[in-house]
Amino acid sequence: MRLDGRAALVVLLSIALLLNPSIAVANEAEFQVEFMVLNVYRDGLVHVTQTVAVNETLPSVTLSLLASSVENIIVVDENQTVLDYEIDGVNMTVYSLGTKSIQLEYDTASLTTKDADLWTLLLDTPYNLTVFLPEESIVWYLSPIPTSIDTEDSRIKLSLFTGHWEISYELP
């Protein structure tokens, strides 16, 4: 039995799909953000903590940072082993083969601005997250309205969904 070119190609592609099922499942999730917290300090510095569940069979995952200017970066896996990474603008590629969970922490001062006594936190987030404002802050403006507003240890706690956020607050 002879196969023409088209039939041979179909047979080869079928064999490739059978041997490598990850090709057939192109929409398999690379990662899932489990939680993300922003701690805003009185001097405008924002400390970001993010925990991400990752597909351990992938060699790397690319995460979006909230700012292009970040410092004090720590990236570890579930065993507290330091992971390699590369940053390109606001994208961070973490080399995570064999890792089930990534914890990422970094600081940035580029999310806040101050005009007289009024601080403003501006961010575009691709993730749901929680923001803790400095102790005894007074919120003057929120856009849009957060999922929830609460207090915890004299700090305002805001639960934000994905999108563009502007939060203005004053410190006593």
Side-chain angles (χ1 to χ4, degrees), residues 13 45 51 99 120 124 142 150-151 154 157 160:
L13 285 175
L45 185 73
T51 299
T99 299
T120 301
D124 287 301
L142 291 168
D150 206 350
T151 59
S154 302
K157 176 183 174 183
L160 310 184

Side-chain angles (χ1 to χ4, degrees), residues 40-55:
V40 182
Y41 294 102
R42 297 183 75 79
D43 63 356
L45 185 73
V46 178
H47 182 77
V48 179
T49 303
Q50 184 175 17
T51 299
V52 181
V54 295
N55 179 339

Side-chain angles (χ1 to χ4, degrees), residues 2-58:
R2 294 185 82 183
L3 296 175
D4 66 7
R6 191 181 307 171
L9 181 62
V10 169
V11 169
L12 287 174
L13 285 175
S14 298
I15 291 171
L17 286 173
L18 289 173
L19 293 176
N20 191 355
S22 65
I23 294 173
V25 185
N27 64 354
E28 185 176 15
E30 287 185 26
F31 66 89
Q32 175 69 37
V33 175
E34 293 180 338
F35 77 87
M36 187 165 184
V37 175
L38 277 61
N39 282 301
V40 182
Y41 294 102
R42 297 183 75 79
D43 63 356
L45 185 73
V46 178
H47 182 77
V48 179
T49 303
Q50 184 175 17
T51 299
V52 181
V54 295
N55 179 339
E56 63 187 301
T57 64
L58 296 176

Side-chain angles (χ1 to χ4, degrees), residues 2-172:
R2 294 185 82 183
L3 296 175
D4 66 7
R6 191 181 307 171
L9 181 62
V10 169
V11 169
L12 287 174
L13 285 175
S14 298
I15 291 171
L17 286 173
L18 289 173
L19 293 176
N20 191 355
S22 65
I23 294 173
V25 185
N27 64 354
E28 185 176 15
E30 287 185 26
F31 66 89
Q32 175 69 37
V33 175
E34 293 180 338
F35 77 87
M36 187 165 184
V37 175
L38 277 61
N39 282 301
V40 182
Y41 294 102
R42 297 183 75 79
D43 63 356
L45 185 73
V46 178
H47 182 77
V48 179
T49 303
Q50 184 175 17
T51 299
V52 181
V54 295
N55 179 339
E56 63 187 301
T57 64
L58 296 176
S60 65
V61 294
T62 300
L63 306 171
S64 294
L65 301 174
L66 297 179
S68 59
S69 175
V70 296
E71 53 192 32
N72 304 324
I73 302 165
I74 300 171
V75 184
V76 295
D77 68 8
E78 65 274 10
N79 300 315
Q80 300 302 304
T81 302
V82 175
L83 299 173
D84 287 333
Y85 63 87
E86 289 180 8
I87 295 178
D88 183 16
V90 295
N91 293 318
M92 172 184 272
T93 301
V94 179
Y95 300 101
S96 59
L97 184 63
T99 299
K100 295 178 184 176
S101 179
I102 295 171
Q103 179 155 344
L104 166 63
E105 294 188 42
Y106 59 91
D107 295 328
T108 181
S110 62
L111 296 177
T112 57
T113 58
K114 186 178 182 188
D115 185 14
D117 289 336
L118 192 67
W119 285 93
T120 301
L121 173 68
L122 282 171
L123 66 119
D124 287 301
T125 175
Y127 315 113
N128 293 336
L129 55 85
T130 301
V131 173
F132 286 95
L133 294 176
E135 281 189 24
E136 301 176 4
S137 297
I138 300 166
V139 174
W140 287 102
Y141 179 78
L142 291 168
S143 179
I145 302 299
T147 306
S148 71
I149 302 172
D150 206 350
T151 59
E152 191 172 300
D153 299 327
S154 302
R155 298 180 76 189
I156 296 174
K157 176 183 174 183
L158 306 169
S159 297
L160 310 184
F161 48 86
T162 60
H164 178 76
W165 289 90
E166 182 176 346
I167 301 163
S168 296
Y169 59 95
E170 191 174 58
L171 300 172

